[in-house]
Amino acid sequence: MDYKDICKQVADLAIETGKYIRSEIAGFDSSKIETKGKNDFVSYVDKTTEKKLVEKLSQIVPEAGFIAEEGTRSDRGEVYNWIVDPLDGTTNFIHGLYPVCISIALQENGKTVVGVVYEIGLGECYTASLGDGACMNGKPIHVSERKTLKESLVGTGFPYSDYSKLDSFMKSMADLMQNTHGMRRIGSAATDLIYVACGRFDCFYEYGLSPWDVAAGAFIVEEAGGKVSDFSGGDNYIFGREMLAANAHVFSEFVNKVKSYME
Ligand code: 2AM
Ligand code: CA
């Protein structure tokens, strides 16, 4: 299978489909919220986008199954599976705010081999295929070179439904606020990850995430020279509902910090 060629086809598809989301966010007004209801409206855009993606992805790798947030197709493939979030950053979208992403990963026997995250606000398409490194709009990208947590900018997401670890999470943030360059919460985990991949952020962590939020972004971080793990430094970050990412220099220091509060 030519991962590079598939990656190019998926990137073109994400950019094309992103036009639909951009037109919906631009035309979004309060009367639309009233007539359809906030969540209905969002799920209408999410589902329409996912249908468009699923239809085309099924043609790119016909034997692949799907793990897609809106469940428009949910049959699993024996070897290949797409992991799809048609719209990452739903709360941003409702409020007419960017970043908002399309996130698509292709897995082969449970390992990611292609990742595409298209951030619609800035029109930045992040891509990676196994062994080929990561790019943004076709140009190679790399994680940052910062060596310590003290000089790092840390992205995170606040818990939005699972508050079971809220106390530990607040303590970890209090520590990081005082011992890093600062923290950012931009409302899209896929964007947090690509920002680690291109060096805007040095670290990212969040719990309560789903596979479609992180599969593509985590792979792009790895192909950009960074490291990803669960909060214990282990491999269960795609389905384990918690993940962290960092450049390779600060990774151990960051894992130890997060672990000391969250494990
Ligand atoms: P989503 O926009 O695809 O739902 C932000 O913290 C991250 O959490 C985003 O990647 C977002 O993905 C995910 N998330 C899931 N449900 C959410 C919710 N109800 N509110 C905010 N973020 C949510
Ligand atoms: Ca989503």
Side-chain angles (χ1 to χ4, degrees):
M1 188 157 294
D2 185 344
Y3 303 139
K4 217 172 180 167
D5 177 59
I6 290 172
C7 188
K8 170 87 180 74
Q9 293 185 60
V10 175
D12 290 346
L13 171 63
I15 291 165
E16 185 56 34
T17 313
K19 288 180 192 164
Y20 166 70
I21 296 179
R22 190 181 288 122
S23 71
E24 287 293 330
I25 204 168
F28 182 81
D29 59 36
S30 49
S31 65
K32 266 187 176 160
I33 304 175
E34 277 164 30
T35 45
K36 295 185 178 168
K38 201 188 243 180
N39 291 329
D40 279 354
F41 174 71
V42 170
S43 65
Y44 155 72
V45 176
D46 291 354
K47 278 189 183 141
T48 307
T49 307
E50 192 175 288
K51 268 191 197 145
K52 287 171 190 279
L53 294 172
V54 163
E55 190 194 325
K56 294 281 167 46
L57 292 171
S58 310
Q59 292 162 12
I60 296 173
V61 182
E63 67 270 40
F66 282 86
I67 300 168
E69 180 168 18
E70 308 305 330
T72 52
R73 231 188 99 174
S74 57
D75 56 303
R76 298 296 147 87
E78 229 170 84
V79 178
Y80 294 102
N81 281 291
W82 295 107
I83 304 183
V84 180
D85 190 344
L87 204 166
D88 185 68
T90 307
T91 306
N92 284 352
F93 180 83
I94 297 170
H95 291 270
L97 190 70
Y98 288 112
V100 166
C101 289
I102 291 173
S103 172
I104 302 169
L106 178 66
Q107 290 203 327
E108 183 182 77
N109 294 316
K111 296 269 176 231
T112 310
V113 291
V114 169
V116 172
V117 174
Y118 179 49
E119 199 290 288
I120 296 158
L122 292 176
E124 292 180 340
C125 190
Y126 293 79
T127 53
S129 49
L130 191 64
D132 289 324
C135 290
M136 189 265 275
N137 291 345
K139 296 204 177 90
I141 53 167
H142 207 271
V143 292
S144 72
E145 285 295 329
R146 290 187 189 88
K147 303 277 191 296
T148 63
L149 214 44
K150 216 172 174 48
E151 55 186 334
S152 291
L153 188 62
V154 181
T156 191
F158 304 149
Y160 47 82
S161 64
D162 174 2
Y163 300 110
S164 61
K165 295 180 183 171
L166 188 58
D167 284 350
S168 320
F169 180 71
M170 296 297 269
K171 284 182 187 134
S172 72
M173 283 211 300
D175 183 328
L176 290 165
M177 274 176 210
Q178 296 173 79
N179 294 296
T180 63
H181 256 191
M183 301 192 74
R184 296 291 181 271
R185 197 282 194 231
I186 58 174
S188 154
T191 308
D192 286 311
L193 288 165
I194 55 177
Y195 281 7
V196 172
C198 72
R200 289 176 186 157
F201 288 172
D202 308 288
C203 309
F204 163 72
Y205 77 124
E206 182 170 353
Y207 80 89
L209 295 171
S210 298
W212 39 80
D213 298 321
V214 298
F219 178 66
I220 295 169
V221 169
E222 287 185 303
E223 283 292 326
K227 290 189 169 187
V228 294
S229 73
D230 55 33
F231 288 169
S232 317
D235 282 342
N236 192 20
Y237 53 86
I238 294 185
F239 292 92
R241 303 196 64 78
E242 60 179 44
M243 89 157 295
L244 63 79
N247 82 33
H249 300 301
V250 296
F251 180 76
S252 320
E253 194 188 352
F254 189 55
V255 171
N256 289 335
K257 180 75 82 180
V258 171
K259 206 195 273 189
S260 70
Y261 291 101
M262 301 300 294
E263 215 178 34

Coordinates of all heavy atoms in Angstrom, one line a residue, residues 178-263:
Q178 N 2.9 27.8 37.1 CA 3.9 28.5 37.8 C 5.3 28.1 37.4 O 6.3 28.7 37.7 CB 3.8 28.2 39.3 CG 2.5 28.8 39.9 CD 2.3 28.4 41.4 OE1 2.9 28.9 42.3 NE2 1.5 27.4 41.6
N179 N 5.4 27.0 36.6 CA 6.7 26.4 36.3 C 7.0 26.2 34.8 O 7.8 25.4 34.4 CB 6.9 25.1 37.1 CG 7.0 25.4 38.6 OD1 7.9 26.0 39.1 ND2 6.0 24.9 39.3
T180 N 6.2 26.9 34.0 CA 6.4 26.8 32.5 C 6.3 28.2 31.9 O 6.0 29.2 32.7 CB 5.3 25.9 31.8 OG1 4.0 26.5 32.0 CG2 5.3 24.5 32.4
H181 N 6.4 28.3 30.6 CA 6.1 29.6 30.0 C 4.7 30.0 30.0 O 4.3 31.2 29.9 CB 6.6 29.6 28.5 CG 7.8 30.2 28.2 ND1 8.3 30.5 27.0 CD2 8.8 30.7 29.1 CE1 9.5 31.1 27.0 NE2 9.8 31.2 28.3
G182 N 3.8 29.0 30.2 CA 2.3 29.3 30.3 C 1.5 28.2 29.7 O 2.1 27.2 29.2
M183 N 0.2 28.3 29.8 CA -0.7 27.3 29.3 C -1.7 27.9 28.4 O -2.1 29.1 28.5 CB -1.5 26.7 30.5 CG -0.5 26.0 31.5 SD -1.4 25.0 32.7 CE -1.8 23.6 31.7
R184 N -2.2 27.1 27.4 CA -3.2 27.5 26.5 C -4.3 26.4 26.4 O -4.0 25.2 26.5 CB -2.6 27.6 25.1 CG -1.6 28.7 25.0 CD -2.2 30.1 25.1 NE -1.2 31.2 25.0 CZ -0.6 31.7 26.0 NH1 -0.7 31.2 27.2 NH2 0.3 32.7 25.8
R185 N -5.6 26.8 26.2 CA -6.7 25.9 26.1 C -7.5 26.4 24.8 O -8.2 27.4 24.9 CB -7.6 26.0 27.3 CG -8.5 24.9 27.6 CD -9.8 25.0 26.7 NE -10.8 24.1 27.3 CZ -11.4 23.2 26.5 NH1 -11.2 23.1 25.2 NH2 -12.4 22.4 27.1
I186 N -7.3 25.7 23.7 CA -7.8 26.3 22.5 C -9.0 25.5 21.9 O -9.6 25.9 20.9 CB -6.7 26.4 21.4 CG1 -6.1 25.1 21.1 CG2 -5.7 27.4 21.8 CD1 -5.1 25.1 19.9
G187 N -9.5 24.4 22.6 CA -10.7 23.8 22.3 C -10.8 22.8 21.3 O -11.9 22.3 20.9
S188 N -9.6 22.3 20.8 CA -9.6 21.2 19.8 C -8.3 20.4 20.1 O -7.2 20.9 19.9 CB -9.6 21.8 18.4 OG -9.0 20.9 17.5
A189 N -8.5 19.1 20.5 CA -7.3 18.3 20.8 C -6.5 18.0 19.6 O -5.3 18.0 19.7 CB -7.8 17.0 21.4
A190 N -7.2 17.9 18.4 CA -6.4 17.6 17.2 C -5.5 18.8 16.9 O -4.3 18.7 16.5 CB -7.4 17.4 16.0
T191 N -6.0 20.0 17.2 CA -5.2 21.2 17.0 C -4.0 21.3 18.0 O -2.9 21.6 17.6 CB -6.0 22.5 17.0 OG1 -7.1 22.4 16.2 CG2 -5.2 23.7 16.7
D192 N -4.3 21.0 19.2 CA -3.3 20.9 20.2 C -2.1 20.1 19.8 O -0.9 20.4 19.9 CB -3.8 20.4 21.6 CG -4.7 21.3 22.3 OD1 -4.3 22.5 22.5 OD2 -5.8 20.9 22.7
L193 N -2.5 18.9 19.2 CA -1.4 18.0 18.8 C -0.6 18.5 17.6 O 0.6 18.4 17.6 CB -2.1 16.6 18.5 CG -2.5 15.9 19.8 CD1 -3.4 14.7 19.5 CD2 -1.3 15.4 20.6
I194 N -1.3 19.0 16.6 CA -0.5 19.5 15.5 C 0.3 20.7 15.8 O 1.4 21.0 15.2 CB -1.4 19.8 14.2 CG1 -2.5 20.8 14.6 CG2 -1.9 18.5 13.6 CD1 -3.4 21.2 13.4
Y195 N -0.1 21.5 16.9 CA 0.7 22.6 17.4 C 2.0 22.1 18.1 O 3.0 22.7 18.0 CB -0.1 23.5 18.3 CG -1.0 24.5 17.5 CD1 -1.2 24.3 16.1 CD2 -1.7 25.5 18.1 CE1 -2.0 25.2 15.3 CE2 -2.5 26.4 17.3 CZ -2.7 26.2 16.0 OH -3.4 27.1 15.3
V196 N 1.9 20.9 18.7 CA 3.1 20.3 19.2 C 4.0 19.8 18.1 O 5.2 20.1 18.1 CB 2.8 19.1 20.2 CG1 4.1 18.3 20.6 CG2 2.0 19.5 21.4
A197 N 3.3 19.3 17.1 CA 4.1 18.8 15.9 C 4.9 19.9 15.2 O 6.0 19.6 14.7 CB 3.2 18.1 14.9
C198 N 4.3 21.1 15.1 CA 5.0 22.1 14.4 C 5.8 23.1 15.3 O 6.4 24.0 14.8 CB 4.0 22.9 13.5 SG 2.9 24.0 14.4
G199 N 5.8 22.8 16.6 CA 6.7 23.5 17.5 C 6.0 24.8 18.1 O 6.7 25.5 18.8
R200 N 4.8 25.0 17.9 CA 4.1 26.2 18.5 C 3.9 25.9 20.0 O 4.1 26.7 20.9 CB 2.8 26.5 17.9 CG 2.9 27.1 16.5 CD 1.6 27.2 15.8 NE 1.8 27.6 14.4 CZ 0.9 27.5 13.4 NH1 -0.3 26.9 13.7 NH2 1.1 27.9 12.2
F201 N 3.4 24.7 20.3 CA 3.4 24.2 21.7 C 4.6 23.2 21.9 O 5.0 22.6 20.9 CB 2.1 23.4 21.9 CG 0.8 24.2 22.0 CD1 -0.4 23.5 22.0 CD2 0.8 25.6 22.0 CE1 -1.6 24.2 22.1 CE2 -0.4 26.3 22.1 CZ -1.6 25.6 22.1
D202 N 5.0 23.1 23.1 CA 6.1 22.2 23.4 C 5.5 20.9 24.0 O 6.1 19.8 24.0 CB 7.1 22.8 24.3 CG 7.6 24.1 23.8 OD1 8.3 24.1 22.8 OD2 7.1 25.2 24.3
C203 N 4.3 21.0 24.7 CA 3.7 19.9 25.4 C 2.2 20.0 25.3 O 1.7 21.1 25.2 CB 4.1 19.9 26.9 SG 5.8 20.1 27.3
F204 N 1.5 18.9 25.5 CA 0.1 18.9 25.6 C -0.4 17.7 26.4 O 0.2 16.6 26.4 CB -0.5 18.7 24.1 CG -2.0 18.2 24.2 CD1 -3.0 19.1 24.5 CD2 -2.3 16.9 23.8 CE1 -4.3 18.7 24.6 CE2 -3.6 16.5 23.8 CZ -4.6 17.4 24.2
Y205 N -1.4 17.9 27.2 CA -2.0 16.8 27.9 C -3.5 17.0 28.2 O -3.9 18.2 28.3 CB -1.3 16.5 29.3 CG -1.6 17.4 30.4 CD1 -2.1 16.9 31.6 CD2 -1.4 18.8 30.3 CE1 -2.3 17.8 32.7 CE2 -1.6 19.6 31.4 CZ -2.1 19.1 32.6 OH -2.4 20.0 33.6
E206 N -4.3 16.0 28.2 CA -5.7 16.1 28.4 C -6.3 14.7 28.7 O -5.8 13.7 28.2 CB -6.5 16.7 27.2 CG -8.0 16.9 27.5 CD -8.7 17.7 26.4 OE1 -8.0 18.2 25.5 OE2 -9.9 17.7 26.4
Y207 N -7.3 14.6 29.6 CA -8.0 13.3 29.8 C -9.4 13.4 29.3 O -10.0 14.5 29.2 CB -7.8 12.9 31.3 CG -8.8 13.5 32.2 CD1 -10.1 12.9 32.5 CD2 -8.5 14.6 33.0 CE1 -10.9 13.5 33.4 CE2 -9.3 15.2 33.9 CZ -10.6 14.6 34.1 OH -11.4 15.2 35.0
G208 N -10.0 12.3 29.1 CA -11.4 12.2 28.6 C -11.6 12.3 27.1 O -12.7 12.5 26.6
L209 N -10.5 12.1 26.4 CA -10.5 12.2 25.0 C -10.9 10.8 24.3 O -10.7 9.8 24.9 CB -9.1 12.6 24.4 CG -8.7 14.0 24.9 CD1 -7.3 14.3 24.5 CD2 -9.6 15.1 24.2
S210 N -11.4 10.9 23.1 CA -11.8 9.8 22.3 C -10.7 9.5 21.2 O -10.0 10.4 20.8 CB -13.1 10.0 21.7 OG -14.1 10.2 22.7
P211 N -10.8 8.3 20.6 CA -9.8 7.9 19.6 C -9.7 8.9 18.4 O -8.7 9.2 17.9 CB -10.2 6.5 19.1 CG -11.1 6.0 20.2 CD -11.6 7.1 21.0
W212 N -10.9 9.3 18.0 CA -11.0 10.2 16.8 C -10.4 11.6 17.1 O -10.0 12.3 16.2 CB -12.4 10.4 16.3 CG -13.4 10.4 17.3 CD1 -13.8 11.5 18.1 CD2 -14.2 9.4 17.8 NE1 -14.7 11.2 19.0 CE2 -15.0 9.9 18.8 CE3 -14.3 8.0 17.5 CZ2 -16.0 9.1 19.5 CZ3 -15.3 7.2 18.2 CH2 -16.1 7.8 19.2
D213 N -10.4 12.0 18.4 CA -9.8 13.3 18.7 C -8.2 13.3 18.5 O -7.6 14.3 18.3 CB -10.0 13.7 20.2 CG -11.5 13.8 20.5 OD1 -12.2 14.4 19.7 OD2 -11.9 13.4 21.6
V214 N -7.6 12.1 18.8 CA -6.2 12.1 18.9 C -5.4 11.2 17.9 O -4.2 11.4 17.8 CB -5.8 11.6 20.4 CG1 -6.3 12.6 21.4 CG2 -6.3 10.2 20.7
A215 N -6.1 10.2 17.2 CA -5.3 9.2 16.4 C -4.4 9.9 15.4 O -3.2 9.6 15.3 CB -6.3 8.3 15.8
A216 N -5.0 10.8 14.6 CA -4.2 11.4 13.5 C -3.1 12.4 14.1 O -2.0 12.3 13.7 CB -5.1 12.2 12.5
G217 N -3.5 13.2 15.0 CA -2.6 14.2 15.6 C -1.4 13.5 16.3 O -0.3 14.0 16.2
A218 N -1.7 12.5 17.0 CA -0.6 11.8 17.8 C 0.4 11.2 16.8 O 1.6 11.3 17.0 CB -1.2 10.6 18.6
F219 N -0.1 10.7 15.7 CA 0.8 10.1 14.6 C 1.7 11.3 14.0 O 2.9 11.1 13.7 CB 0.0 9.4 13.6 CG 0.8 8.8 12.5 CD1 1.7 7.8 12.7 CD2 0.6 9.3 11.2 CE1 2.4 7.2 11.6 CE2 1.3 8.8 10.1 CZ 2.2 7.7 10.3
I220 N 1.0 12.4 13.7 CA 1.7 13.5 13.1 C 2.8 14.0 14.1 O 3.9 14.3 13.7 CB 0.7 14.6 12.7 CG1 -0.2 14.1 11.6 CG2 1.5 15.9 12.3 CD1 -1.4 15.0 11.3
V221 N 2.5 14.1 15.4 CA 3.6 14.4 16.4 C 4.8 13.5 16.3 O 5.9 13.9 16.2 CB 3.0 14.4 17.8 CG1 4.1 14.5 18.9 CG2 2.0 15.5 18.1
E222 N 4.5 12.2 16.2 CA 5.6 11.2 16.2 C 6.4 11.4 14.9 O 7.6 11.4 14.9 CB 5.0 9.8 16.2 CG 4.5 9.4 17.6 CD 4.1 8.0 17.7 OE1 3.2 7.6 16.9 OE2 4.6 7.2 18.6
E223 N 5.7 11.6 13.8 CA 6.4 11.7 12.5 C 7.2 13.0 12.5 O 8.1 13.2 11.7 CB 5.5 11.6 11.3 CG 5.1 10.2 11.0 CD 6.2 9.3 10.5 OE1 7.1 9.9 9.7 OE2 6.2 8.1 10.8
A224 N 6.8 14.0 13.3 CA 7.5 15.3 13.4 C 8.6 15.3 14.4 O 9.2 16.3 14.7 CB 6.5 16.4 13.7
G225 N 8.9 14.1 15.0 CA 10.0 13.9 15.9 C 9.7 14.0 17.4 O 10.6 14.0 18.2
G226 N 8.4 14.1 17.7 CA 8.0 14.2 19.1 C 7.6 12.8 19.7 O 7.7 11.8 19.0
K227 N 7.2 12.9 20.9 CA 6.8 11.6 21.6 C 5.4 11.8 22.2 O 5.0 12.9 22.6 CB 7.7 11.3 22.7 CG 9.1 10.9 22.3 CD 9.9 10.4 23.4 CE 11.2 9.7 23.0 NZ 11.9 9.1 24.1
V228 N 4.6 10.7 22.2 CA 3.3 10.6 22.7 C 3.1 9.4 23.7 O 3.8 8.4 23.5 CB 2.2 10.6 21.6 CG1 2.2 11.8 20.8 CG2 2.4 9.3 20.7
S229 N 2.2 9.6 24.7 CA 2.0 8.4 25.6 C 0.7 8.7 26.3 O 0.1 9.8 26.2 CB 3.2 8.3 26.5 OG 3.2 9.3 27.5
D230 N 0.3 7.7 27.2 CA -0.7 8.0 28.2 C 0.0 8.6 29.4 O 1.2 8.9 29.3 CB -1.5 6.7 28.5 CG -0.5 5.6 29.0 OD1 0.5 5.9 29.6 OD2 -0.8 4.4 28.7
F231 N -0.8 8.9 30.4 CA -0.2 9.6 31.6 C 0.8 8.9 32.3 O 1.6 9.5 33.1 CB -1.4 10.1 32.5 CG -2.3 11.1 32.0 CD1 -3.4 11.5 32.7 CD2 -1.9 11.9 30.8 CE1 -4.3 12.5 32.2 CE2 -2.8 12.8 30.3 CZ -4.0 13.2 31.0
S232 N 1.0 7.6 32.1 CA 2.0 6.8 32.8 C 3.2 6.6 31.9 O 4.2 5.9 32.2 CB 1.5 5.4 33.1 OG 0.2 5.5 33.6
G233 N 3.2 7.2 30.7 CA 4.4 7.0 29.8 C 4.2 5.8 28.9 O 5.1 5.4 28.1
G234 N 3.0 5.1 29.0 CA 2.7 3.9 28.2 C 2.0 4.2 26.9 O 1.8 5.3 26.5
D235 N 1.6 3.0 26.2 CA 1.1 3.1 24.8 C -0.4 3.3 24.7 O -0.9 3.4 23.6 CB 1.5 1.8 24.1 CG 2.9 1.8 23.7 OD1 3.5 2.8 23.7 OD2 3.4 0.7 23.5
N236 N -1.1 3.3 25.8 CA -2.6 3.3 25.7 C -3.2 4.7 25.6 O -4.0 5.1 26.4 CB -3.2 2.5 26.9 CG -4.6 2.2 26.7 OD1 -5.1 2.2 25.6 ND2 -5.3 2.0 27.8
Y237 N -2.7 5.4 24.5 CA -3.2 6.8 24.4 C -4.3 7.0 23.4 O -4.9 8.1 23.4 CB -2.0 7.7 24.1 CG -1.2 7.3 22.9 CD1 -1.5 7.7 21.7 CD2 0.0 6.5 23.1 CE1 -0.8 7.3 20.6 CE2 0.7 6.1 22.0 CZ 0.3 6.5 20.7 OH 1.0 6.1 19.6
I238 N -4.5 6.1 22.5 CA -5.6 6.3 21.5 C -6.9 5.9 22.1 O -7.9 6.6 22.0 CB -5.2 5.6 20.2 CG1 -4.0 6.2 19.5 CG2 -6.4 5.7 19.2 CD1 -3.6 5.7 18.2
F239 N -7.0 4.7 22.7 CA -8.2 4.2 23.2 C -8.3 4.4 24.8 O -9.3 4.1 25.4 CB -8.5 2.8 22.8 CG -8.7 2.6 21.4 CD1 -7.6 2.3 20.5 CD2 -9.9 2.7 20.8 CE1 -7.8 2.2 19.1 CE2 -10.1 2.6 19.4 CZ -9.1 2.3 18.6
G240 N -7.3 4.9 25.4 CA -7.2 5.0 26.8 C -7.8 6.2 27.5 O -7.7 6.4 28.7
R241 N -8.3 7.1 26.6 CA -9.0 8.3 27.1 C -8.1 9.3 27.9 O -8.6 10.2 28.6 CB -10.2 8.0 27.9 CG -11.3 7.1 27.2 CD -12.6 7.1 27.9 NE -13.3 8.4 27.9 CZ -13.9 8.9 26.8 NH1 -13.9 8.3 25.7 NH2 -14.5 10.1 26.9
E242 N -6.8 9.2 27.7 CA -5.9 10.2 28.2 C -4.6 10.2 27.4 O -4.2 9.2 26.9 CB -5.5 9.9 29.7 CG -4.8 8.5 29.8 CD -4.4 8.2 31.3 OE1 -5.3 8.4 32.1 OE2 -3.3 7.7 31.5
M243 N -4.1 11.4 27.1 CA -2.9 11.4 26.3 C -2.0 12.6 26.6 O -2.5 13.7 27.0 CB -3.1 11.2 24.8 CG -3.3 12.5 24.0 SD -3.0 12.1 22.3 CE -1.2 11.7 22.4
L244 N -0.7 12.4 26.4 CA 0.2 13.6 26.5 C 1.1 13.5 25.3 O 1.4 12.4 24.8 CB 0.9 13.7 27.8 CG 1.8 12.6 28.3 CD1 3.2 12.7 27.7 CD2 2.0 12.7 29.8
A245 N 1.7 14.6 24.9 CA 2.6 14.7 23.8 C 3.6 15.8 24.2 O 3.3 16.8 24.9 CB 1.8 15.1 22.5
A246 N 4.8 15.6 23.6 CA 5.9 16.7 23.9 C 7.0 16.5 22.9 O 7.1 15.4 22.3 CB 6.4 16.5 25.3
N247 N 7.9 17.5 22.8 CA 9.1 17.3 22.0 C 9.9 16.2 22.8 O 9.7 16.0 24.0 CB 9.8 18.6 21.7 CG 10.7 19.1 22.8 OD1 11.3 18.4 23.5 ND2 10.7 20.5 22.9
A248 N 10.9 15.6 22.1 CA 11.6 14.5 22.7 C 12.5 15.0 23.9 O 12.7 14.2 24.8 CB 12.5 13.8 21.6
H249 N 12.9 16.3 23.9 CA 13.8 16.8 25.0 C 13.0 16.8 26.3 O 13.5 16.4 27.4 CB 14.3 18.2 24.7 CG 15.1 18.2 23.5 ND1 16.3 17.5 23.3 CD2 15.0 19.0 22.3 CE1 16.8 17.8 22.1 NE2 16.0 18.6 21.5
V250 N 11.8 17.4 26.3 CA 11.0 17.6 27.6 C 10.1 16.5 27.9 O 9.5 16.5 29.0 CB 10.3 19.0 27.6 CG1 11.2 20.2 27.5 CG2 9.2 19.0 26.5
F251 N 10.0 15.5 27.0 CA 9.0 14.4 27.2 C 9.1 13.8 28.6 O 8.1 13.7 29.4 CB 9.2 13.4 26.1 CG 8.2 12.2 26.2 CD1 6.9 12.4 25.9 CD2 8.6 11.0 26.7 CE1 6.0 11.4 26.0 CE2 7.7 10.0 26.9 CZ 6.4 10.1 26.5
S252 N 10.3 13.3 29.0 CA 10.4 12.6 30.3 C 10.1 13.5 31.5 O 9.4 13.1 32.4 CB 11.8 12.1 30.6 OG 12.4 11.6 29.5
E253 N 10.6 14.8 31.4 CA 10.2 15.7 32.5 C 8.7 15.9 32.6 O 8.1 16.0 33.7 CB 11.0 17.0 32.2 CG 11.0 18.0 33.4 CD 11.6 19.4 33.1 OE1 12.1 19.6 32.0 OE2 11.5 20.2 34.0
F254 N 8.1 16.0 31.4 CA 6.7 16.3 31.3 C 5.9 15.1 31.8 O 4.9 15.2 32.6 CB 6.2 16.7 29.9 CG 4.8 17.2 29.8 CD1 4.4 18.2 30.6 CD2 4.0 16.6 28.9 CE1 3.0 18.7 30.5 CE2 2.6 17.0 28.8 CZ 2.2 18.1 29.6
V255 N 6.3 13.9 31.4 CA 5.6 12.6 31.9 C 5.6 12.6 33.4 O 4.6 12.3 34.1 CB 6.2 11.4 31.3 CG1 5.6 10.1 31.9 CG2 6.0 11.3 29.8
N256 N 6.8 12.8 33.9 CA 7.0 12.7 35.4 C 6.1 13.7 36.1 O 5.5 13.4 37.1 CB 8.5 12.9 35.8 CG 9.3 11.7 35.4 OD1 8.8 10.6 35.2 ND2 10.6 11.9 35.1
K257 N 6.0 14.9 35.6 CA 5.2 15.9 36.2 C 3.7 15.5 36.2 O 3.0 15.5 37.2 CB 5.4 17.3 35.4 CG 4.6 18.4 36.0 CD 5.1 19.0 37.3 CE 6.3 19.9 37.0 NZ 6.9 20.5 38.2
V258 N 3.2 15.1 35.0 CA 1.8 14.8 34.8 C 1.5 13.5 35.7 O 0.5 13.5 36.4 CB 1.5 14.5 33.3 CG1 0.1 13.9 33.2 CG2 1.6 15.8 32.5
K259 N 2.4 12.6 35.6 CA 2.2 11.3 36.4 C 2.1 11.6 37.9 O 1.3 11.0 38.5 CB 3.5 10.5 36.1 CG 3.3 9.0 36.3 CD 4.6 8.3 36.4 CE 5.2 7.9 35.1 NZ 6.4 7.0 35.2
S260 N 2.9 12.6 38.4 CA 2.9 12.8 39.8 C 1.5 13.3 40.3 O 1.2 13.2 41.5 CB 4.0 13.8 40.2 OG 3.7 15.1 39.7
Y261 N 0.7 13.9 39.4 CA -0.6 14.3 39.8 C -1.8 13.4 39.3 O -2.8 13.2 40.1 CB -0.9 15.7 39.2 CG 0.0 16.8 39.8 CD1 1.1 17.3 39.2 CD2 -0.4 17.3 41.1 CE1 1.9 18.2 39.7 CE2 0.5 18.3 41.7 CZ 1.6 18.7 41.0 OH 2.4 19.7 41.6
M262 N -1.6 12.9 38.1 CA -2.8 12.2 37.4 C -2.8 10.7 37.6 O -3.8 10.1 37.2 CB -2.8 12.6 36.0 CG -2.9 14.1 35.7 SD -4.3 14.9 36.3 CE -5.6 14.1 35.4
E263 N -1.7 10.1 38.0 CA -1.7 8.6 37.9 C -2.5 8.0 39.1 O -2.5 8.6 40.2 CB -0.3 8.1 38.0 CG -0.1 6.8 37.1 CD 1.3 6.3 37.1 OE1 2.0 6.5 38.1 OE2 1.7 5.8 36.1

